[in-house]
C-alpha cells in the first residue's frame, strides 16, 4: 500500500489547485484590531501642522536674544512673548520656547529669566511633521493591526481602513447521535462539543465561523446542508462520517460534488480526513473525534484561513523538555501528542497524555503538544523534545 500523503503535501497540493478569492471591506479604524489591511497605509496629514511647543513655557522671538539675554522688564504678554505649553501651537512672531521653570513674572510686570544663557531658533519647538508626516508609511499591507498601529493610523488622520474580510468558515456537525449542548444526555447520545471547539478556534484565527445545526446521518440532509454552506461560506468544514462506518458517506459526497484531492492523510488523530475543492472552495471533511478536529483545524484549516487573510502562520512558543515516559507511535504518521508539561529545578519535563483509550477531556486540557516526526515511531525517556506551548509559560 502506498504511503498516505503528508500534511505538507496535502497543503501544497490544495494551494496549487485552489485560487483563493479574498474579499475586502472598509471599516472604522477603531474597530480594526486584529484585522489585516489590504494596502500599505500612509499618513494623510502632518502633525504638528506648523510647529508646537515641546515644553510648558513662554514662546519668544530668538532674534531678540542675538546679543545675549535682553532686558525683559517691559515685555508684554501677546506682544513680546506668549504662554505656550507642551503641544501648543503659538504665534508666528515667535520661534523658541523657554521652559516655565526658568521664567519669573515679577509683580511690577515684564519677565525675568534665570539659569539660561542663550535662546536659539527652534529651541524646545517641535517642527511640522515631527509627530507624524504626511505620506509616511504607517502600517505595511498584510500586517495584522495592533492597538499601537490603530493609534498611529488615527494620528495620520485615517479613520477608515480597507481590510480583508474575515473568511467565512462553515462548520457542519453531522451525526444522528449528536445533541446540542444543553439538551438532556441519553444513552447513545454525544454532545456536539466540536461546534464549540471549531467556533472558538476559528474566531482565534481571525475567521468568521458559521455554525450550522446538527445534521442527521442521511445523505440527502448532509447534501442539502452542504449546498447551503457552499452558498454562504468561503470554506466549508463537514465534521464526522469520514471513515468506514455505515453512515460514513461524507467523503463520497465531496467526490460527487467536486474534486476530492485527498481522502486519508498521514496525520492522526484524524487520518480519514478528506480535502476537496468544490467550485474553487475548499471543503474539508474533518473526522468526528474531538482530537481529530483539534489537529485538523490546527494544521489544515489554520493554513487555509491565513492564506485568505494573506498573513503568515503565527509561530507558537516552544520549549525544550525532557521526556519522562516513552512515546510509541506509528512511524508512517505525524502523530499529534497531547503533552503534560511541568517545571523542575533542572528544567522542563514532559510526557504524553494517553491518546488511545485515555480520557478525551483530559487530553484537551494539555498544556503543550508535540508532533512526531515521520519515519520515527518511538521516543525514549531522557530525550529532549521541543514541545509547543498551548498556554503561557507562566502556567507551568
Ligand atoms: N473500522 C474502522 N473504524 C474506524 C476507522 C477505520 O479505519 N476502520 N478509522 C477510525 C479513525 S482513525 C477515525 S479518526 C474515526 C473517524 O470517524 P468519523 O469521521 O467517521 O466520525 P464519526 O463516526 O461520525 O464519529 C466518531 C466519534 O466522534 C464523535 N463526534 C462526531 N461529531 C462530533 C461532534 N460534533 N462533537 C463531539 N463529538 C463528535 C462521534 O460521536 C463518535 O464518537 O473513525 C475510526 N473508526
Ligand atoms: O485518526 Mo483517527 O483519530 O487516527 O483515530
Amino acid at each position: 500500500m502506498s504511503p498516505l500523503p503528508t500534511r505538507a503535501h496535502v497543503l501544497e497540493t490544495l494551494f496549487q489547485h485552489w485560487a483563493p478569492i479574498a474579499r475586502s471591506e472598509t471599516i472604522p479604524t477603531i474597530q480594526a484590531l486584529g484585522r489585516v489591511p489590504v494596502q500599505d497605509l500612509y499618513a494623510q496629514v502632518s502633525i504638528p501642522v506648523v510647529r508646537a511647543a515641546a515644553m510648558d513655557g513662554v514662546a519668544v522671538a530668538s532674534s531678540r536674544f542675538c546679543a545675549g539675554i535682553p532686558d525683559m522688564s517691559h515685555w508684554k504678554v501677546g506682544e513680546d512673548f506668549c504662554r505656550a505649553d507642551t503641544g501648543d501651537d503659538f504665534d508666528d512672531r515667535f520661534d523658541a520656547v523657554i521652559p516655565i521653570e526658568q521664567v519669573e513674572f515679577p509683580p511690577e510686570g515684564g519677565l525675568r529669566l534665570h539659569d539660561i544663557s542663550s535662546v536659539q531658533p527652534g529651541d524646545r519647538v517641535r517642527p511640522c511633521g515631527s509627530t507624524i508626516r504626511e505620506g509616511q508609511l504607517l502600517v505595511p499591507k498584510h500586517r495584522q493591526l495592533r492597538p499601537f498601529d490603530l493609534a498611529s493610523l488615527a494620528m495620520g488622520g485615517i479613520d477608515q481602513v480597507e481590510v480583508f474580510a474575515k473568511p467565512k468558515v462553515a462548520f457542519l456537525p453531522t451525526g444522528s447521535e449528536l445533541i446540542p449542548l444543553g439538551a438532556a444526555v441519553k444513552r447513545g447520545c454525544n454532545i456536539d462539543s466540536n461546534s464549540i471547539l471549531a467556533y472558538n478556534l476559528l474566531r482565534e484565527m481571525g475567521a468568521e465561523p458559521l455554525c450550522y445545526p446538527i445534521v442527521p446521518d442521511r445523505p440527502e440532509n448532509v447534501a442539502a446542508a452542504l449546498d447551503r454552506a457552499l452558498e454562504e461560506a468561503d470554506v466549508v468544514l463537514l465534521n464526522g462520517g469520514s471513515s468506514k462506518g455505515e453512515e460514513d458517506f461524507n467523503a463520497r459526497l465531496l467526490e460527487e460534488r467536486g474534486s476530492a484531492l485527498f481522502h486519508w492523510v498521514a496525520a492522526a488523530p484524524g487520518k480519514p480526513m478528506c480535502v476537496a475543492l468544490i467550485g474553487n472552495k475548499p471543503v474539508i471533511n474533518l473526522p468526528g473525534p474531538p482530537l481529530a478536529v483539534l489537529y485538523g483545524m490546527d494544521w489544515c484549516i489554520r493554513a487555509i484561513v491565513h492564506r485568505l487573510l494573506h498573513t503568515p502562520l503565527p509561530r507558537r512558543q516552544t520549549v525544550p523538555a525532557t521526556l519522562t515516559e516513552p512515546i510509541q507511535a506509528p512511524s508512517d504518521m505525524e502523530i499529534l501528542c497531547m503533552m503534560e508539561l511541568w517545571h523542575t529545578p533542572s528544567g522542563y519535563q514532559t510526557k504524553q497524555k494517553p491518546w488511545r483509550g485515555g480520557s478525551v477531556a483530559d487530553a484537551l486540557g494539555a498544556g503543550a503538544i508535540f508532533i512526531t516526526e515521520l519515519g520515527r515511531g518511538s521516543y525514549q525517556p531522557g530525550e529532549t523534545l521541543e514541545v509547543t506551548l498551548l498556554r503561557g509559560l507562566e502556567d507551568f
Side-chain angles (χ1 to χ4, degrees):
M1 203 179 101
S2 60
L4 295 178
T6 61
R7 298 182 298 158
H9 179 64
V10 168
L11 287 178
E12 203 180 304
T13 311
L14 173 65
F15 293 156
Q16 272 167 7
H17 287 79
W18 172 45
I21 299 163
R23 295 172 292 106
S24 75
E25 59 182 337
T26 299
I27 59 170
T29 300
I30 194 167
Q31 286 164 15
L33 182 65
R35 306 297 296 272
V36 181
V38 172
Q39 303 291 349
D40 290 341
L41 297 169
Y42 298 94
Q44 291 171 358
V45 295
S46 290
I47 290 178
V49 177
V50 178
R51 45 93 190 284
M55 292 184 81
D56 301 347
V58 295
V60 296
S62 63
S63 56
R64 297 178 72 179
F65 293 78
C66 291
I69 307 297
D71 171 14
M72 301 161 83
S73 57
H74 58 284
W75 278 28
K76 290 199 167 51
V77 67
E79 283 177 26
D80 303 292
F81 70 94
C82 68
R83 280 300 312 265
D85 290 339
T86 310
D88 286 353
D89 195 3
F90 49 84
D91 198 294
D92 284 343
R93 281 176 295 172
F94 309 127
D95 66 348
V97 170
I98 300 170
I100 199 69
E101 295 86 335
Q102 291 166 321
V103 181
E104 266 179 61
F105 300 94
E108 62 274 21
L111 287 185
R112 196 177 302 141
L113 304 187
H114 47 84
D115 302 327
I116 190 159
S117 53
S118 76
V119 175
Q120 304 294 327
D123 276 357
R124 289 162 294 270
V125 174
R126 306 195 51 189
C128 161
S130 54
T131 298
I132 198 162
R133 195 174 328 99
E134 187 180 345
Q136 178 184 345
L137 178 64
L138 299 179
V139 181
K141 65 181 177 187
H142 305 176
R143 183 80 59 77
Q144 213 185 21
L145 294 167
R146 305 163 303 167
F148 329 111
D149 299 316
L150 302 183
S152 109
L153 295 179
M155 229 178 254
I158 298 175
D159 62 343
Q160 304 272 316
V161 205
E162 189 191 3
V163 293
F164 288 110
K166 292 184 182 186
K168 289 186 182 172
V169 182
F171 186 82
L172 283 69
T174 74
S176 301
E177 80 286 12
L178 296 176
I179 53 167
L181 178 59
V185 181
K186 301 208 183 86
R187 183 172 175 167
C189 293
N190 198 358
I191 298 171
D192 169 24
S193 56
N194 288 347
S195 289
I196 313 293
L197 177 63
Y199 174 82
N200 289 290
L201 283 173
L202 288 166
R203 278 168 47 112
E204 252 185 15
M205 289 175 206
E208 181 185 334
L210 305 177
C211 284
Y212 284 67
I214 295 161
V215 189
D217 285 316
R218 277 196 297 275
E220 61 279 17
N221 291 54
V222 181
L226 176 62
D227 284 339
R228 205 182 122 204
L230 280 166
E231 273 175 31
E232 293 174 348
D234 301 304
V235 179
V236 178
L237 310 180
L238 201 54
N239 185 217
S242 67
S243 189
K244 299 189 173 169
E246 277 182 296
E247 291 124 2
D248 293 347
F249 43 77
N250 288 346
R252 233 172 305 133
L253 182 66
L254 301 196
E255 276 158 19
E256 286 163 21
R257 291 291 162 100
S259 56
L261 302 171
F262 299 99
H263 186 196
W264 300 86
V265 296
K271 62 179 183 287
M273 186 181 202
C274 179
V275 177
L277 277 172
I278 304 182
N280 194 38
K281 288 188 180 174
V283 179
I284 317 296
N285 183 196
L286 286 171
L291 290 174
V293 173
L294 187 155
Y295 194 22
M297 293 292 289
D298 197 59
W299 71 262
C300 183
I301 312 311
R302 188 183 300 276
I304 292 172
V305 166
H306 280 274
R307 177 76 36 147
L308 280 166
L309 287 173
H310 294 73
T311 44
L313 279 177
R315 277 212 224 155
R316 279 185 293 231
Q317 188 176 8
T318 64
V319 293
T322 308
L323 190 64
T324 60
E325 289 180 16
I327 294 178
Q328 302 291 357
S331 63
D332 57 351
M333 292 262 156
E334 292 175 290
I335 304 290
L336 170 74
C337 304
M338 307 303 287
M339 306 301 287
E340 264 177 59
L341 180 72
W342 63 98
H343 192 250
T344 72
S346 54
Y348 291 102
Q349 295 192 336
T350 190
K351 71 174 184 191
Q352 183 182 19
K353 283 177 174 280
W355 79 291
R356 290 231 193 261
S359 146
V360 179
D362 178 53
L364 289 172
I369 53 171
F370 175 72
I371 295 171
T372 63
E373 250 176 84
L374 272 182
R376 266 221 58 181
S378 60
Y379 293 77
Q380 299 309 323
E383 285 194 51
T384 302
L385 306 185
E386 196 69 27
V387 298
T388 301
L389 300 186
L390 299 179
R391 286 203 226 103
L393 257 192
E394 65 281 4
D395 280 353
F396 299 99

